[in-house]
Amino acid sequence: MAYNVLPSTVNAPRENYIHNPAAIFPLLQIPKVDLCVLNSEPSSPEATQELKILRFALTVCGFFQVVNHGIDISPLEELYDVTKRFFLLPPEEKHKYSRPAGDLDLAGFGNDQILTQHQTLDWNDVLYLDLYPEDQRTLKLWPDNPNDFRKVLLECRAKLQKLNELILKAMAKSLNLEDNTFLRQYGESPRVLSRFNSHHPCSGSGPQVEAKPHSDASALTFFLQDKPVEAFQVLRGDKWFRLPAIAHPAILVMPGDQAEIMTNGLFKSLLHRFVANSERERISISIFFIPDKENVIEPAEGLVDEKRPSLYRPVVDYVGAFYPEHREGNRVIDALKK
């Protein structure tokens, strides 16, 4: 097994990086969910309306941006800053934290594992780090340069993990379920995985998809961007759509495969991709909230009846069982449909 040559060391994209012909895709607007309103008096008209917005966003759109979420802009800006400073380090410094060759675990600095000769590659440099549980952290792969990287990351992790729990509760309420319905499946020892991305400008002969089409194996994924550079695209039906860049501290939220299972298909896990900008470099951060691998993930009891039977078979350790099978353009979750 080999690893991809990092885009930061390549002057122009090779054939393996070129995914799609030029095309102009329609722009979708991203619904806003105000967490402050959502967490106000539960029976208030305002909170009820916000739950309706959340349900609409997840059933019709497949994504939303959460605002007024209680996380100050400063910690997020600090996280962007240390991420950018890491990717600006000389290659030999960054490679101190490289993923060990042949290791199927994602943790560490690098890019795609090259599994086949004609595999399509991502046009970005990536650092994966496990944030939770604590005993799963491979600290030798956590950068200590910049020297405040670890401190800033851990402070943000706690805030984002709390936000994830609040959203999972709100999702259950929006479907008229008990607050903790999804949290029970999420479990006591969930996995929180972070992905730091350095997206390089690409001025090749055709547009480059810097992260190939995929769905996420998580329950929820948070996307954070450091600057308003449009890059995100989602597949709805058989058509691709662009999403506008959003300004922080707003956070883009998408349900992953395991949320689709738990909601019995009501909240879809969309295929999505990222397109490289021809002129501007950008930094992005993805946080994946993955249920406890010991827990059974299945459609919630309150969402299964004669009119809507269970659509998915129960699964344990979805990531361990199916992640190696994630391939561009495929939704692995469809293999679990009854």
Side-chain angles (χ1 to χ4, degrees):
M1 181 186 300
Y3 285 91
N4 175 22
V5 174
L6 298 175
S8 56
T9 66
V10 179
N11 292 326
R14 300 179 306 188
E15 182 180 354
N16 302 65
Y17 293 104
I18 299 175
H19 297 240
N20 293 290
I24 302 298
F25 300 102
L27 183 70
L28 292 177
Q29 294 305 311
I30 305 175
K32 288 184 179 180
V33 173
D34 190 318
L35 195 69
C36 184
V37 174
L38 205 57
N39 287 331
S40 61
E41 180 59 39
S43 59
S44 70
E46 293 81 8
T48 301
Q49 179 61 26
E50 209 66 23
L51 280 175
K52 291 180 180 178
I53 294 173
L54 176 64
R55 179 166 178 166
F56 170 83
L58 291 174
T59 54
V60 177
C61 302
F63 48 81
F64 65 93
Q65 54 178 310
V66 59
V67 299
N68 293 329
H69 44 60
I71 302 176
D72 293 335
I73 193 170
S74 295
L76 297 178
E77 288 184 333
E78 289 175 0
L79 185 59
Y80 300 131
D81 179 64
V82 295
T83 302
K84 185 173 183 177
R85 284 190 280 137
F86 170 77
F87 283 116
L88 287 173
L89 292 172
E92 60 272 17
E93 182 68 23
K94 288 182 289 191
H95 279 293
K96 292 179 181 178
Y97 312 103
S98 290
R99 187 183 307 131
D103 193 340
L104 290 177
D105 188 21
L106 290 173
F109 173 69
N111 200 302
D112 292 335
Q113 298 172 349
I114 298 179
L115 304 175
T116 64
Q117 181 180 357
H118 302 292
Q119 178 179 337
T120 306
L121 305 174
D122 286 349
W123 185 253
N124 52 23
D125 295 351
V126 176
L127 173 67
Y128 276 108
L129 297 174
D130 271 292
L131 305 182
Y132 192 86
E134 293 183 18
D135 61 3
Q136 296 302 306
R137 296 172 184 163
T138 308
L139 292 178
K140 66 181 180 180
L141 299 177
W142 283 50
D144 48 20
N145 184 8
N147 58 14
D148 53 346
F149 187 100
R150 298 185 181 191
K151 174 179 176 292
V152 170
L153 178 55
L154 289 175
E155 288 177 353
C156 278
R157 189 278 307 171
K159 298 176 187 295
L160 293 170
Q161 199 159 351
K162 180 62 176 176
L163 176 59
N164 170 69
E165 294 174 1
L166 291 173
I167 292 175
L168 286 174
K169 286 185 177 182
M171 286 168 53
K173 287 193 289 186
S174 77
L175 295 171
N176 300 313
L177 300 173
E178 181 186 342
D179 288 10
N180 291 327
T181 298
F182 300 140
L183 276 177
R184 281 196 294 270
Q185 291 199 48
Y186 186 65
E188 296 296 323
S189 297
R191 183 184 183 188
V192 182
L193 176 67
S194 58
R195 172 178 167 140
F196 303 86
N197 310 282
S198 175
H199 307 279
H200 306 283
C202 183
S203 55
S205 58
Q208 319 308 315
V209 177
E210 61 189 23
K212 43 189 180 293
H214 63 282
S215 64
D216 292 337
S218 57
L220 291 178
T221 303
F222 292 176
F223 299 94
L224 300 88
Q225 301 180 78
D226 72 331
K227 62 179 67 171
V229 180
E230 185 182 302
F232 209 133
Q233 297 183 354
V234 297
L235 185 68
R236 290 175 56 179
D238 59 354
K239 295 182 179 180
W240 285 99
F241 293 86
R242 295 152 41 224
L243 296 187
I246 59 175
H248 58 273
I251 296 172
L252 179 65
V253 180
M254 289 186 69
D257 293 355
Q258 298 194 63
E260 180 171 331
I261 295 171
M262 291 189 286
T263 63
N264 202 24
L266 291 175
F267 296 166
K268 293 292 186 184
S269 174
L270 297 182
L271 282 172
H272 53 281
R273 65 188 184 188
F274 300 88
V275 178
N277 189 278
S278 62
E279 299 178 354
R280 300 180 64 181
E281 185 169 1
R282 68 186 183 91
I283 298 293
S284 70
I285 303 167
S286 304
I287 309 293
F288 306 94
F289 296 94
I290 302 167
D292 188 332
K293 66 179 182 180
E294 302 297 329
N295 283 11
V296 177
I297 304 301
E298 60 187 345
E301 185 176 343
L303 301 177
V304 176
D305 56 29
E306 291 183 358
K307 293 183 179 180
R308 188 178 181 85
S310 176
L311 301 177
Y312 303 94
R313 292 180 281 112
V315 62
V316 177
D317 190 14
Y318 179 86
V319 173
F322 291 99
Y323 188 84
E325 300 303 320
H326 272 72
R327 297 290 183 264
E328 59 179 292
N330 296 325
R331 284 191 350 128
V332 175
I333 187 178
D334 292 335
L336 285 174
K337 288 186 175 179
K338 292 183 174 180

